[in-house]
Amino acid sequence: MRDMHNNIKVIQTHSGANVGTTGAANGTLSAAIDRQDYDAAEFVYGRGVSGAATDSIVPVVLEGDATNGSFASVAAADLLGTEAAMTGSAAASGKVGYIGNKRYLKLRLYGIGTATCRVNAHALLGKPSRAPVA
């Protein structure tokens, strides 16, 4: 099968979560995402309207060897695209891919600015070892 529909798994990581306004400490962190049986991972995320043009939502992809172990920021060489901040008051979306070799991933979304906004995110797992994916 050459279609994408039957060859990806979608995992919701953030569902209408409010993010803090003072950096990573007040952000929202996803649960661990297990990449077993998948060779590709992509995070897609979006934010709602914010209160100020200078507000930003920043994504950070983390990797680890165990669900309960320590997670570290992914090196830029193991990302497709960048963890670019979404700045401005309008709704926006972004994506970043992972090409590293760690089994577990997490996504942190945090805000910088004066107003919070709601964020949503999903992890898309692809290149399954067995397809089609249910």
Side-chain angles (χ1 to χ4, degrees):
M1 292 191 188
R2 296 177 55 185
D3 65 283
M4 188 169 145
H5 181 81
N6 290 302
N7 290 294
I8 60 171
K9 179 178 181 180
V10 178
I11 301 167
Q12 187 171 35
T13 62
H14 297 77
S15 175
N18 281 325
V19 295
T21 61
T22 57
N26 288 329
T28 178
L29 180 65
S30 74
I33 297 150
D34 188 353
R35 293 180 52 234
Q36 184 174 5
D37 296 328
Y38 294 90
D39 288 337
E42 183 85 13
F43 288 99
V44 294
Y45 45 89
R47 63 172 241 181
V49 175
S50 183
T54 56
D55 289 347
S56 295
I57 301 297
V58 180
V60 178
V61 180
L62 306 167
E63 62 185 0
D65 292 316
T67 57
N68 295 326
S70 62
F71 281 75
S73 291
V74 174
D78 287 335
L79 295 175
L80 295 173
T82 62
E83 297 165 313
M86 297 178 284
T87 301
S89 58
S93 62
K95 65 180 181 174
V96 63
Y98 177 77
I99 57 173
N101 60 6
K102 299 287 185 179
R103 178 171 169 179
Y104 298 98
L105 300 173
K106 289 184 179 183
L107 178 66
R108 178 181 300 282
L109 294 172
Y110 68 90
I112 299 173
T114 59
T116 61
C117 68
R118 297 179 70 72
V119 295
N120 289 289
H122 290 82
L124 306 176
L125 301 180
K127 294 188 178 177
S129 59
R130 289 173 291 219
V133 174

